[in-house]
Amino acid sequence: MALVSVVRDYIDRMLQDISGMKVLILDPLTVSIVSVVYSQSDLLKKEVFLVEKVDNMSKESMSHLKAVYFLRPSSDNIQKLRRQLAAPRFAEYHLFFSNILKIPQIQVLADSDEQEVVKQVQEFYADFCAIDPYHFTLNINANHVYMLPTVADPHSSQIFCDRTVDGIAAVFLALKKRPVIRYQRTSDIAKRIAQEAAKLMYEQESGLFDFRRTENSPLLLVIDRRDDPVTPLLNQWTYQAMVHELIGIEDNKVDLRNIGTVPKDQQEVVLSSVQDDFFKANMYENFGDLGMNIKRMVDDFQQIAKSNQNIQTIEDMAKFVNNYPEYRRMHGNVSKHVTLVTEMSRIVDERKLMLVSQTEQDLACNSGQAAALEAVANLLNNESVSDVDRLRLVLLYALRYEKDSPVHLMQLCNKLSRTAKYKPGLVQFLLKQAGVDKRTGDLYGNRDLLNIARNMARGLKGAENVYTQHQPLLLQTMESLMKGRLRDVDYPLVGNHFQQGRPQDVVIFIVGGTTYEEARTVALHNAANPGTRFFLGGSVVLNSKRFLKDLEEVQRISKSTSV
């Protein structure tokens, strides 16, 4: 069962068994969890007439409504609930938690319910944001913490690990599976999360995870974003990934308020593969094909609009009125996609991204240091290339050629230091965090004969789209897993469990964040290989802006603490 369906099912069960008018009360994280799988109209159909946040509630009594709380089981939320139950505003209280409640927390709730308004307390394991059927995120604000050594900030590091383990545990409880766990050997944070997850699933809550065993155990693989720092630095050319890179997507919503003259009802739009058929069909398409498909959609809509103008009889009028809601919805959808593509085209032209991206793809996929140096140097001299694009080009060059030409890298860094936004030392800091000596995977396919063969085959088939040559390292990891070739020495198992046969369900969790390019890789792989289902999760969903922001924040902390 895909993750979106699992979470929708939880919310259905929460709301449909409670009859009458309801208020749904959420915390900042469960707002995201609900909003990505449930629309406003879905809530209305379930008689939810009001949605409130637990930390921003009015004092007004509403005894005609039944309260449905869906909260994370944090100590902060339990204390808020305790205070609200002491002076109840609603007729009934139905309490649902997104993860495992501790016994003392249940005790606090029982003691607080003096007026006996609580009708039920349940755990519904939806402690993650299911943005697509096989892609989830935990929306961890302090995502940069994964790059810090634990000693730099033990408290933040513990909060990060606890939240990650909670999220991973909820995914497996929702899927009703207990996995064998592996992690990337070179990453301390991946090892810590894997070990704490194993402790939770096999010791502390072993009864809860005691599901019927399958012949092939499911697998959790915990890896570190720094093993592939290239993917989040690249410009993207497929629809979903491109929107996130150039405009930004948060919980499947795109904020268009800063874009020209957008109508009021289009200032925040939803991009969801569950709610929007056109997006579902085109989210992984490249920009060229997308443009053609949008033109087709506009042409179809114009035909319908034309037929609606031809109203001559009362029957025509009645037919138009009946079809009007669908017509309005279609109009909104057409205008949303046209607005997004128009804005992305403007940014591509303004920032000369066709030019920039060609060099990025060469740096990521092809060897040839002299040509790469010349291409990057030329772009650094080009006045119309933005500061952030210059920085990304030098970072990509550094990751590729750090050992080959330190002198040339220094020259590029000197050129870069003339740009206003550049933080000195950021290029070297990235290499310290994610350079070749820190990585496990074969990021550039230098030692991989399979990659050489694949590139030759690709060359024989004719030139692929030059802007989408890059394949994330994740694809290689997935292929190795499928063939049973993921080395135990690089990805050890936790505890005395071992993997028998090929797993049918694999959750790959990237500490530090996923990208939509990787989510696309997983979705296309699942569609082509029905035997094994891969799920991709991470602490956040990255674009280059967020990746660089996290890197700069860690650099700042490292300077101030000299760790």
Side-chain angles (χ1 to χ4, degrees):
M1 198 191 290
L3 296 172
V4 173
S5 327
V6 174
V7 179
R8 270 192 74 89
D9 186 47
Y10 276 143
I11 298 164
D12 284 344
R13 280 160 55 196
M14 233 180 270
L15 299 174
Q16 67 197 15
D17 295 339
I18 304 160
S19 61
M21 292 166 69
K22 294 177 279 287
V23 54
L24 179 62
I25 294 151
L26 306 166
D27 65 30
L29 278 159
T30 55
V31 164
S32 298
I33 291 164
V34 173
S35 71
V36 293
V37 299
Y38 235 72
S39 68
Q40 203 74 41
S41 55
D42 290 333
L43 287 174
L44 278 170
K45 283 176 198 164
K46 294 280 192 282
E47 296 184 282
V48 174
F49 293 101
L50 183 63
V51 178
E52 288 195 349
K53 281 194 182 169
V54 71
D55 46 8
N56 191 23
M57 291 174 69
S58 71
K59 300 281 187 282
E60 184 190 343
S61 173
M62 296 186 181
S63 52
H64 59 295
L65 292 176
K66 295 172 183 176
V68 179
Y69 280 73
F70 179 46
L71 308 173
R72 293 204 70 241
S74 66
S75 48
D76 191 32
N77 280 341
I78 298 291
Q79 289 311 312
K80 283 172 187 158
L81 252 176
R82 187 178 64 78
R83 288 193 293 273
Q84 289 169 22
L85 288 170
R89 294 169 52 214
F90 305 106
E92 294 177 6
Y93 283 69
H94 300 262
L95 309 182
F96 298 92
F97 292 92
S98 66
N99 216 315
I100 305 164
L101 273 170
K102 297 180 179 71
I103 301 293
Q105 292 177 318
I106 298 170
Q107 195 62 54
V108 168
L109 293 174
D111 294 344
S112 310
D113 186 27
E114 289 179 2
Q115 300 188 38
E116 298 187 348
V117 286
V118 176
K119 300 301 172 192
Q120 59 176 323
V121 178
Q122 289 204 55
E123 296 170 348
F124 276 2
Y125 306 111
D127 204 9
F128 54 89
C129 219
I131 36 186
D132 284 314
Y134 298 102
H135 185 201
F136 70 92
T137 179
L138 301 182
N139 284 343
I140 297 177
N141 284 330
N143 184 55
H144 66 276
V145 169
Y146 82 97
M147 287 194 246
L148 288 170
T150 308
V151 291
D153 189 345
H155 178 64
S156 297
S157 187
Q158 191 60 55
I159 290 170
F160 182 94
C161 282
D162 288 348
R163 175 67 191 105
T164 303
V165 171
D166 285 351
I168 290 170
V171 167
F172 280 100
L173 285 169
L175 294 170
K176 296 185 170 51
K177 295 179 187 298
R178 175 161 56 185
V180 167
I181 301 172
R182 297 176 72 175
Y183 63 90
Q184 181 186 315
R185 180 183 54 80
T186 52
S187 168
D188 290 341
I189 187 99
K191 179 180 182 179
R192 183 175 170 188
I193 287 164
Q195 289 177 334
E196 288 186 19
K199 192 176 175 186
L200 179 75
M201 294 178 191
Y202 286 93
E203 293 172 36
Q204 296 159 340
E205 297 289 349
S206 61
L208 202 53
F209 282 88
D210 192 16
F211 300 112
R212 187 172 61 81
R213 298 218 176 118
T214 51
E215 194 179 326
N216 296 336
S217 298
L219 175 68
L220 165 64
L221 177 64
V222 185
I223 58 178
D224 192 309
R225 176 73 269 164
R226 289 168 291 182
D227 214 36
D228 176 7
V230 169
T231 301
L233 283 170
L234 292 171
N235 264 303
Q236 298 299 322
W237 294 94
T238 58
Y239 194 14
Q240 185 184 38
M242 201 172 174
V243 173
H244 190 44
E245 179 58 35
L246 300 183
I247 304 171
I249 304 174
E250 192 170 335
D251 297 336
N252 289 352
K253 294 185 192 73
V254 184
D255 185 346
L256 296 174
R257 278 174 299 193
N258 301 326
I259 293 170
T261 52
V262 177
K264 207 159 191 176
D265 62 340
Q266 294 273 317
Q267 290 188 346
E268 185 181 75
V269 297
V270 175
L271 272 188
S272 163
S273 58
V274 180
Q275 296 171 27
D276 179 341
D277 289 340
F278 180 83
F279 182 64
K280 184 181 180 180
N282 289 278
M283 60 199 282
Y284 303 134
E285 292 293 333
N286 71 55
F287 198 48
D289 293 340
L290 173 68
M292 300 299 290
N293 294 344
I294 282 189
K295 186 184 181 309
R296 207 168 294 131
M297 177 171 68
V298 170
D299 291 345
D300 291 348
F301 178 71
Q302 283 174 336
Q303 287 299 319
I304 292 166
K306 216 175 271 178
S307 68
N308 283 338
Q309 287 167 1
N310 191 24
I311 295 173
Q312 292 174 346
T313 66
I314 289 174
E315 283 85 356
D316 289 344
M317 206 178 291
K319 193 174 167 189
F320 174 74
V321 170
N322 284 336
N323 293 335
Y324 186 68
E326 180 60 22
Y327 174 78
R328 281 285 303 155
R329 193 187 64 76
M330 200 174 168
H331 177 268
N333 217 30
V334 170
S335 113
K336 167 176 80 178
H337 291 293
V338 168
T339 302
L340 285 169
V341 170
T342 307
E343 176 59 13
M344 291 195 298
S345 298
R346 186 191 66 76
I347 295 169
V348 166
D349 289 346
E350 187 182 273
R351 284 172 49 189
K352 302 285 179 281
L353 291 184
M354 304 285 268
L355 196 62
V356 170
S357 187
Q358 201 163 340
T359 301
E360 286 178 6
Q361 291 284 327
D362 280 343
L363 286 168
C365 306
N366 305 318
S367 51
Q369 188 254 326
L373 177 70
E374 187 184 348
V376 173
N378 286 343
L379 287 168
L380 291 183
N381 291 331
N382 187 330
E383 290 299 316
S384 50
V385 174
S386 73
D387 285 356
V388 72
D389 291 321
R390 290 174 191 186
L391 171 60
R392 288 184 311 102
L393 285 162
V394 176
L395 290 170
L396 288 164
Y397 179 89
L399 287 165
R400 182 74 203 238
Y401 298 112
E402 63 174 298
K403 298 287 190 196
D404 297 11
S405 57
V407 175
H408 291 138
L409 180 56
M410 192 68 74
Q411 289 169 355
L412 292 178
C413 287
N414 289 340
K415 274 185 192 256
L416 195 59
S417 62
R418 294 173 211 145
T419 63
K421 288 183 182 169
Y422 175 57
K423 307 261 189 312
L426 194 66
V427 174
Q428 293 306 326
F429 190 72
L430 175 64
L431 295 179
K432 191 177 160 189
Q433 284 284 338
V436 68
D437 298 334
K438 300 279 183 184
R439 299 194 297 262
T440 301
D442 185 13
L443 189 55
Y444 294 106
N446 299 335
R447 301 180 299 280
D448 189 342
L449 285 169
L450 185 75
N451 260 21
I452 294 166
R454 191 186 291 140
N455 288 338
M456 280 175 66
R458 195 181 281 166
L460 294 171
K461 277 185 211 163
E464 241 187 38
N465 183 336
V466 70
Y467 299 106
T468 53
Q469 295 173 70
H470 174 257
Q471 298 279 16
L473 180 66
L474 183 74
L475 180 63
Q476 211 173 299
T477 308
M478 288 161 64
E479 286 176 348
S480 299
L481 255 175
M482 295 275 288
K483 293 173 180 148
R485 289 188 189 151
L486 199 68
R487 290 163 30 138
D488 288 356
V489 64
D490 292 331
Y491 298 93
L493 285 113
V494 180
N496 55 4
H497 310 284
F498 59 93
Q499 188 73 48
Q500 278 183 318
R502 196 167 85 183
Q504 287 176 323
D505 289 294
V506 180
V507 174
I508 299 179
F509 189 88
I510 306 181
V511 184
T514 58
T515 64
Y516 282 116
E517 185 186 350
E518 288 159 330
R520 175 180 184 267
T521 300
V522 166
L524 296 179
H525 190 279
N526 285 343
N529 301 279
T532 300
R533 280 190 315 178
F534 281 91
F535 297 90
L536 178 67
S539 39
V540 294
V541 184
L542 294 165
N543 52 16
S544 63
K545 187 177 172 184
R546 178 65 191 266
F547 182 72
L548 290 171
K549 180 172 162 265
D550 288 342
L551 190 67
E552 285 171 7
E553 180 60 13
V554 177
Q555 186 193 22
R556 185 191 65 75
I557 294 167
S558 299
K559 276 181 181 169
S560 64
T561 56
S562 298
V563 172

